[in-house]
């Protein structure tokens, strides 16, 4: 699913009304050194992590 599709549907109300799946709820963990990790639920292991995340411009 493209982010643009979800954003357009979200501005018109609930995306699920337009057959666009709802966004998943993720838990975000941040370490003291600036690292970041994402997990799908409280008890789950992170499915993606970055030890040294950097800001990027688009």
């Amino acid at each position: 699913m493209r982010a643009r599709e979800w954003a357009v549907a979200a501005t018109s109300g609930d995306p699920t009304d337009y057959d666009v799946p709802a966004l998943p709820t993720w838990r975000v963990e941040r370490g003291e050194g600036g690292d970041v990790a994402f997990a799908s639920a409280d008890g789950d292991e992170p499915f993606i992590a970055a030890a040294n995340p950097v800001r990027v411009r688009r």
Side-chain angles (χ1 to χ4, degrees):
M1 178 65 52
R2 292 183 300 206
R4 183 178 306 170
E5 224 174 297
W6 189 92
V8 169
T11 59
S12 302
D14 185 9
T16 57
D17 293 341
Y18 303 98
D19 296 326
V20 175
L23 288 177
T25 303
W26 293 340
R27 184 184 81 236
V28 179
E29 298 177 353
R30 291 192 176 270
E32 290 181 22
D35 52 328
V36 65
F38 296 93
S40 59
D42 283 336
D44 293 346
E45 289 290 317
F47 59 85
I48 191 167
N52 298 311
V54 295
R55 291 191 179 269
V56 295
R57 285 181 42 182
R58 255 185 89 138

